Amino acid sequence: MEVEATPQRRAQQQPCKNGVAKQLPGGGAKPLRHNPLLVINFLLMVVGSAFGPLLLRAYFLHGGTRKWLSSLLQTAGWPLLLAPLGASFLSRRRSNKDGGSATPLFLMSPRLLAATVAVGLMTGLDDLLYAYGLAYLPVSTSSILISTQLAFTAAFALLLVRQRFTAFSVNAVVLLSVGAAMLGMNAGGDRPAGVTRPQYYAGFGMTLGAALIYGIVLPVMELSQARHAARTGAAVTYTLVMEMQIVIGFTATAFSAVGMLVNNDFHAIRGEAREFGLGQSGYYLLLAGSATVYQFFFLGTIGAIFYGSALLAGVIMTVLIPVTEVLAVMFFHEPFNGTKGVALALSLWGFVSYLYGEVRAKAKQSDKPLNAEHLDP
């Protein structure tokens, strides 16, 4: 997605003495084509966005009741990133042996660290609201409401990073939003058994609140990366992105852990496991699986922002909602009708429209430098 030409977003790569690329004002937008890492992050988002809600909902359906625990599971997998981050550090140290300077253990500046901690606290609150929503709503309804984050992401991307909207991106947002609205209009009367009407509406409101917060989080992450590049002159690398995700995960997990301590959740886990509908082993496997899958989602999201934009991450999240709908029908026997089929078609159309607009925009940008070279004497 193109962004207004500001110092925060324009960058070009120039080599430093130690071989590390610097990011300086004046370059083009981030390329989306021929980028295998963007594809990998997209696949991570697919796995996390499709299966994460199913695992958390299964926790509540089979006897789980701890909302703070469900909130913690969404970020507790952050230690999984320590292995690739350590491998990256060793690789940088080997390549920097002839540079004459010590290889930094962390690439984050103090300002970026502070901003990332703030994002982590926002993520912790978002996870808690989302956990409450999944406790009282079907997966399909919760996913529909979460899809409204696309509109929030678009609005805050416009305000914070001056996102430039093309006809194709606007078309994608409209189609995805209309599809989600159609699903929402068809979601009445789906209150689960055992859930009271006040609980249902509380889950409804909290899920919308989670969508609003995450709509702010995505542009803030993009803005943090851009300001770090503009302020330090150093390129935002994928290693830095992993460092940001570790800080976000650690902060959000600590936020939820405090809530668990206050709510006495840690002492209740063993008893809840004994009475869990899938058995004690199934209980712990479900917790571990949820933490792992959601870590895939968050890493894929921050990677999509790095290689694309906050709006691209929001579009991918929204287009995956029909996938979650289908899986909810398969595993939880939630109803699927013609309205959901039309919404699925609109979502796919919107996603194709967005990608087509990206390809056209990047093709025009790649032609400009070539034309300029031919004009130079």
Side-chain angles (χ1 to χ4, degrees):
M1 174 58 62
E2 292 184 54
V3 181
E4 291 285 353
T6 62
Q8 289 87 354
R9 294 284 298 157
R10 293 182 317 208
Q12 65 183 11
Q13 299 293 329
Q14 293 186 354
C16 301
K17 292 181 180 179
N18 60 0
V20 179
K22 278 193 175 184
Q23 190 163 357
L24 300 174
K30 294 174 281 189
L32 295 184
R33 293 180 297 171
H34 312 300
N35 194 335
L37 288 177
L38 177 61
V39 176
I40 292 173
N41 282 276
F42 171 75
L43 294 177
L44 290 174
M45 288 189 70
V46 169
V47 174
S49 183
F51 293 98
L54 297 177
L55 292 175
L56 279 190
R57 182 58 184 162
Y59 165 78
F60 289 111
L61 286 176
H62 293 282
T65 60
R66 301 289 167 172
K67 282 79 172 180
W68 280 106
L69 173 60
S70 299
S71 174
L72 180 138
L73 291 176
Q74 296 174 57
T75 53
W78 63 266
L80 295 173
L81 296 181
L82 293 176
L85 201 60
S88 175
F89 171 75
L90 293 176
S91 176
R92 286 188 287 118
R93 189 171 65 175
R94 283 195 300 268
S95 63
N96 197 38
K97 283 183 178 180
D98 300 330
S101 59
T103 303
L105 182 60
F106 297 105
L107 302 179
M108 299 184 70
S109 65
R111 287 189 180 183
L112 181 60
L113 176 61
T116 307
V117 169
V119 171
L121 293 174
M122 294 171 64
T123 301
L125 177 59
D126 176 82
D127 292 342
L128 179 63
L129 295 176
Y130 182 62
Y132 266 92
L134 275 178
Y136 301 132
L137 301 177
V139 172
S140 56
T141 304
S142 177
S143 299
I144 293 162
L145 296 175
I146 283 295
S147 71
T148 59
Q149 61 80 26
L150 179 61
F152 296 129
T153 299
F156 286 107
L158 178 63
L159 293 174
L160 296 179
V161 296
R162 289 199 246 175
Q163 189 82 45
R164 180 182 296 169
F165 288 88
T166 66
F168 296 100
S169 58
V170 171
N171 184 52
V173 171
V174 170
L175 288 172
L176 292 168
S177 300
V178 168
M182 289 180 61
L183 291 172
M185 293 174 62
N186 192 58
D190 60 348
R191 180 158 52 94
V195 175
T196 65
R197 189 174 296 274
Q199 287 176 330
Y200 181 86
Y201 287 118
F204 198 95
M206 289 183 179
T207 305
L208 281 178
L212 171 62
I213 293 175
Y214 212 68
I216 301 173
V217 164
L218 295 180
V220 168
M221 286 194 289
E222 181 179 2
L223 182 63
S224 299
Q225 293 179 13
R227 285 188 171 177
H228 172 80
R231 184 169 53 249
T232 64
V236 177
T237 63
Y238 198 70
T239 298
L240 181 64
V241 168
M242 286 194 294
E243 289 183 6
M244 291 180 66
Q245 180 52 38
I246 284 180
V247 173
I248 292 171
F250 175 81
T251 306
T253 303
F255 174 86
S256 299
V258 171
M260 289 183 66
L261 285 172
V262 174
N263 203 42
N264 204 32
D265 281 359
F266 286 107
H267 294 290
I269 288 177
R270 185 173 298 179
E272 190 173 71
R274 286 195 298 266
E275 300 175 1
F276 196 64
L278 298 178
Q280 191 167 344
S281 298
Y283 179 82
Y284 291 114
L285 285 174
L286 186 63
L287 298 190
S290 298
T292 302
V293 166
Y294 268 106
Q295 192 56 48
F296 289 167
F297 168 74
F298 282 113
L299 181 61
T301 299
I302 200 170
I305 294 172
F306 171 60
Y307 290 110
S309 67
L311 186 60
L312 173 62
V315 168
I316 294 174
M317 289 170 60
T318 304
V319 79
L320 290 174
I321 286 173
V323 177
T324 308
E325 294 277 336
V326 172
L327 293 175
V329 171
M330 293 173 56
F331 291 106
F332 300 143
H333 307 291
E334 295 182 5
F336 189 88
N337 51 34
T339 303
K340 291 184 179 181
V342 173
L344 173 61
L346 289 175
S347 297
L348 293 176
W349 182 10
F351 188 52
V352 171
S353 174
Y354 179 86
L355 289 183
Y356 178 70
E358 285 296 310
V359 170
R360 286 194 54 175
K362 302 311 171 190
K364 290 181 180 179
Q365 281 191 350
S366 62
D367 288 341
K368 288 181 181 179
L370 295 175
N371 295 336
E373 289 178 3
H374 290 302
L375 292 174
D376 289 339

